[in-house]
Amino acid sequence: MPRADLMRELFKAHARKDDEAFRAAALKVVSEERRKNHRLLAEDLERIVMNDSRPTLSMFPRHELVLPKDRERGADLVEISISELDWDRIVLPAATLELLQDLALEHLRADILAASGLTPRNTLVFYGPPGCGKTLAARVLAGVLSRPLVTVRFDAIVSSLLGETASNLRSVFDFIARGEWVVLFDEFDAIGKERDNAFEHSELKRLVNTLLQLMDSFRGESVLIAATNHQGLLDTAIWRRFDVLVPFGLPGPQDRILMLRQFLASFDTSSLSLRSLGRRLARSSGGDIERVAQSAARRAVLDGRSYILKQDVEPAIRDFRRRLEMDKVDVDELAVPEADKRRNRDASKS
């Protein structure tokens, strides 16, 4: 916490509506937090004090907003959006969150790294089961870095014309090299599949080769995120092109409680045991938990209540269990990185 004298300065400046005095006191707080090695808090406070507002698309030069298109159909190959999300919007395992925050700090302090001849890491793989926060984490990272989020549309990139898919991919890389974005390649396994797979045709193998060449030659300032639910399908050479591998596993018991609190924050949940509800949601993803919470919230709102009852939750819990029964994929196995799975298989043979 800031010292009492700094707090007094802040409040006095606010009461006098003295913007300069308020900013000076606030910057002292930033310095104080930085001395305490509270790096991320200091960076966030400094950004707010210096009025580093979120970007809008109108802020970007016209040439940067000419979106690449598929020549066959004329469809946009990317979508651009602005995120205002921050770290408090996402619940992740501590190790995953720390990894993302460290990466964000590298980009927020790129000038300090440059003075030592270093650059921030800017290529990431988000991997893990569906519904565990990969897309949300990309939006949070874009918000924290105050950069637009560019989402690559693989439905538009993949073309029926021979060689056109690779051409579309080159157009995307040319576009993102012209600006500073957070770029999300969602469902990355659609184009990054293992080339040694006998069931894949030669066109896809040529596409993977093109992707590897584009990543090797990329020198832009953007943060590139490849997200996949099926990391075992990715070509082994793809993994080596990325600076950071970020695992997204199923939430643990405490994470499930935190998510329920977050999703039901605008309701009174005192009649519920969130701990018990969290136990009943074992093996759930963040998406499953959000679905259960929203279902309960809808029942409460339609009943004219601002509080959640046990009977609001029960139908959603039954639906969640049906979904688990229908899912033929072992979600616990999906949460384990491919290398770990291979080690487990080798150990079982020995």
Side-chain angles (χ1 to χ4, degrees):
M1 290 290 290
R3 297 196 314 268
D5 55 338
L6 290 181
M7 296 291 287
R8 290 191 187 92
E9 284 187 48
L10 278 171
F11 276 79
K12 287 179 180 178
H14 175 73
R16 296 195 303 266
K17 297 183 179 179
D18 187 338
D19 292 340
E20 288 303 317
F22 185 87
R23 176 173 294 196
L27 288 175
K28 290 180 183 178
V29 174
V30 170
S31 298
E32 181 91 353
E33 296 303 319
R34 191 167 279 134
R35 279 196 298 272
K36 296 176 183 176
N37 204 30
H38 298 166
R39 302 174 300 162
L40 288 168
L41 175 59
E43 300 301 334
D44 284 344
L45 292 176
E46 186 176 45
R47 188 182 65 207
I48 295 168
V49 171
M50 300 309 292
N51 196 29
D52 183 10
S53 59
R54 302 291 182 187
T56 63
L57 296 184
S58 61
M59 295 166 56
F60 291 87
R62 186 177 299 275
H63 74 276
E64 290 187 7
L65 294 178
V66 178
L67 303 185
K69 295 182 180 294
D70 170 56
R71 288 185 295 186
E72 180 185 3
R73 292 156 293 177
D76 291 337
L77 300 178
V78 301
E79 294 177 350
I80 303 180
S81 59
I82 300 299
S83 172
E84 296 187 355
L85 302 183
D86 216 323
W87 298 118
D88 60 358
R89 177 59 180 83
I90 193 167
V91 176
L92 292 172
T96 298
L97 183 60
E98 182 180 1
L99 194 56
L100 292 174
Q101 289 180 333
D102 283 347
L103 181 108
L105 183 62
E106 291 178 17
H107 284 269
L108 290 169
R109 279 294 180 216
D111 53 339
I112 294 177
L113 291 178
S116 298
L118 300 171
T119 57
R121 295 169 292 177
N122 68 342
T123 54
L124 301 78
V125 177
F126 287 1
Y127 66 96
C132 288
K134 295 184 291 293
T135 302
L136 178 59
R139 293 173 58 201
V140 168
L141 199 56
V144 169
L145 296 180
S146 296
R147 296 186 183 186
L149 178 66
V150 173
T151 304
V152 179
R153 295 184 52 199
F154 284 131
D155 61 326
I157 281 183
V158 177
S159 172
S160 61
L161 297 180
L162 185 65
E164 191 64 23
T165 301
S167 177
N168 286 342
L169 198 55
R170 289 191 191 93
S171 296
V172 168
F173 271 82
D174 288 343
F175 173 79
I176 61 180
R178 297 198 298 266
E180 292 187 22
W181 323 91
V182 171
V183 183
L184 175 63
F185 293 84
D186 207 357
E187 298 182 3
F188 188 69
D189 45 273
I191 63 168
K193 289 185 179 178
E194 177 66 59
R195 287 167 294 177
D196 291 338
N197 188 331
F199 296 100
E200 297 299 349
H201 53 77
S202 57
E203 174 69 4
L204 181 59
K205 293 178 182 180
R206 283 194 293 269
L207 178 61
V208 174
N209 288 333
T210 299
L211 176 61
L212 293 174
Q213 293 167 7
L214 289 169
M215 293 199 65
D216 285 341
S217 61
F218 181 73
R219 296 294 181 269
E221 301 296 325
S222 296
V223 177
L224 308 187
I225 300 171
T228 177
N229 302 331
H230 307 291
Q231 61 269 15
L233 297 179
L234 292 184
D235 191 279
T236 51
I238 294 280
W239 291 97
R240 294 195 296 270
R241 264 63 180 190
F242 287 89
D243 300 324
V244 191
L245 309 182
V246 186
F248 285 78
L250 298 176
Q254 191 59 35
D255 293 329
R256 293 196 291 270
I257 295 172
L258 292 174
M259 287 179 178
L260 286 166
R261 285 176 181 162
Q262 183 182 84
F263 294 139
L264 295 172
S266 57
F267 292 87
D268 178 1
T269 58
S270 57
S271 65
L272 290 177
S273 169
L274 295 185
R275 186 173 298 278
S276 173
L277 182 55
R279 283 196 297 267
R280 297 178 68 187
L281 287 169
R283 298 181 67 196
S284 64
S285 68
D288 293 327
I289 295 170
E290 184 174 19
R291 188 182 298 112
V292 168
Q294 288 185 346
S295 176
R298 279 191 289 269
R299 292 174 68 88
V301 168
L302 291 175
D303 202 29
R305 290 182 277 108
S306 61
Y307 52 91
I308 304 292
L309 299 174
K310 184 177 180 181
Q311 56 261 37
D312 297 326
V313 176
E314 291 304 319
I317 292 289
R318 289 195 293 269
D319 177 69
F320 163 66
R321 287 176 175 167
R322 283 194 295 268
R323 290 172 182 271
L324 275 186
E325 291 170 3
M326 292 173 62
D327 189 358
K328 302 301 181 184
V329 179
D330 186 342
V331 292
D332 291 328
E333 178 73 4
L334 268 178
V336 179
E338 186 66 20
D340 291 344
K341 288 194 283 185
R342 283 197 294 268
R343 282 194 291 271
N344 292 341
R345 286 197 294 266
D346 293 342
S348 65
K349 294 176 183 177
S350 59

